[in-house]
Amino acid sequence: MSFSYPRITVAVAAAACALLAVAGCGSSGSSTGSSPSGTGSSTGSAGSAAPTGASLSVPENAALHAELPASVRSAGTLVAVNTGSFPPYDILASTGGSLSGASGELEQALGSLLGIKITNVTVSSLPTELTGMKTGRYSLDLGPDGDFASREGNADFIDWVTEHVVFAVQKGNPDNITSLASTCGLKVSVMEGGSAEQVLEGQSTTCKQEGKSAVQVQSYQDQPTALLAVTSGRADAFFSSEAPLTYFVNQTHGQLQLAGTSSANGFSKLYQGAMVTKGSPLSNVLLSAMQILFKDGTYQKIMQQSQLQKNMIPAPGLDLAAHSG
């Protein structure tokens, strides 16, 4: 899920191939262990992030440009970090590393509006990303990243979508998974280090307290490997964000389906957005820029092009998780 920050270092086509379990299409991945450190690699800029629809033309806003930190204005660049493809939000090209998808288009629009170039760097894991942001190596992660009140002590979130957390299962839903409570005794894959993993581990504890078998949590570093665990039978379900799961499930041509779509599955109102370090001078300028893109229709166009209408919110906000009921 977007707050799980998956890592994919191959083309999305190869990722889809992995989901379909075609032999030799990608690495098999591994269950959770120590996260690789990863040094990160440059993956293009806003100028090279090809949109999925018509090119978006957003004029520079001189007042917003002036609100950027002096160091950013001088360099003319912001460094954005990500942990790999997360369709339909982040789609990394196999050559050149350009970023497309909804996040790529939003990044392009923000760069134009602020009068700067946004350069992308891909790292191997969330801990590496957060360390780099704390040391100033990276300025932001456009996400969308999961905004939780527990995270807002260390980061600011400029929220721009909502998300729902569901399951991908074999066709016919053989284990009859209807909600998080249905997972006792099942093998469930999840993205390593994210909140979905924490929720699933919490459910495993609940299962044991109720005298039931624990959830067998399988943690992976990328979406295709986690989905491959389901298609190969190593896992009974994959627990993640609905938007990317829908994208990947559709590419299995009926081999997988979604389940638990009518349940909260351990989450309340789930906001996601761009993430910067707590108190960053970028927080307010990014919020102001988002407000402009919402008002002029750019945001709506981007979301519609990626078929993310159900994830749209009326207006962007800062740290909305702390204010949600």
Side-chain angles (χ1 to χ4, degrees), residues 33-185:
S34 59
S35 298
S37 59
T39 56
S41 59
S42 177
T43 58
S45 66
S48 62
T52 58
S55 180
L56 299 172
S57 177
V58 180
E60 179 180 340
N61 186 300
L64 280 183
H65 180 83
E67 292 182 19
L68 290 167
S71 59
V72 175
R73 296 198 307 270
S74 176
T77 303
L78 273 176
V79 180
V81 62
N82 63 73
T83 50
S85 283
F86 191 51
Y89 293 108
D90 293 329
I91 302 174
L92 293 176
S94 57
T95 58
S98 61
L99 184 69
S100 59
S103 296
E105 293 184 29
L106 186 61
E107 178 183 281
Q108 183 183 32
L110 284 170
S112 297
L113 184 64
L114 296 173
I116 56 171
K117 181 172 68 173
I118 301 179
T119 300
N120 295 293
V121 173
T122 298
V123 297
S124 61
S125 65
L126 175 59
T128 302
E129 174 181 309
L130 296 177
T131 298
M133 292 181 68
K134 289 178 181 178
T135 60
R137 181 180 300 174
Y138 316 123
S139 303
L140 76 155
D141 178 356
L142 191 57
D145 301 316
D147 178 5
F148 300 95
S150 60
R151 290 180 171 179
E152 291 178 0
N154 297 312
D156 281 331
F157 294 86
I158 300 87
D159 295 315
W160 53 277
V161 296
T162 59
E163 190 51 90
H164 315 279
V165 186
V166 299
F167 299 89
V169 300
Q170 289 279 359
K171 180 180 179 180
N173 192 8
D175 294 295
N176 193 30
I177 296 175
T178 58
S179 68
L180 186 66
S182 306
T183 59
C184 296

Side-chain angles (χ1 to χ4, degrees), residues 178-197:
T178 58
S179 68
L180 186 66
S182 306
T183 59
C184 296
L186 298 181
K187 296 173 290 185
V188 184
S189 61
V190 71
M191 297 302 304
E192 181 183 11
S195 57
E197 182 184 55

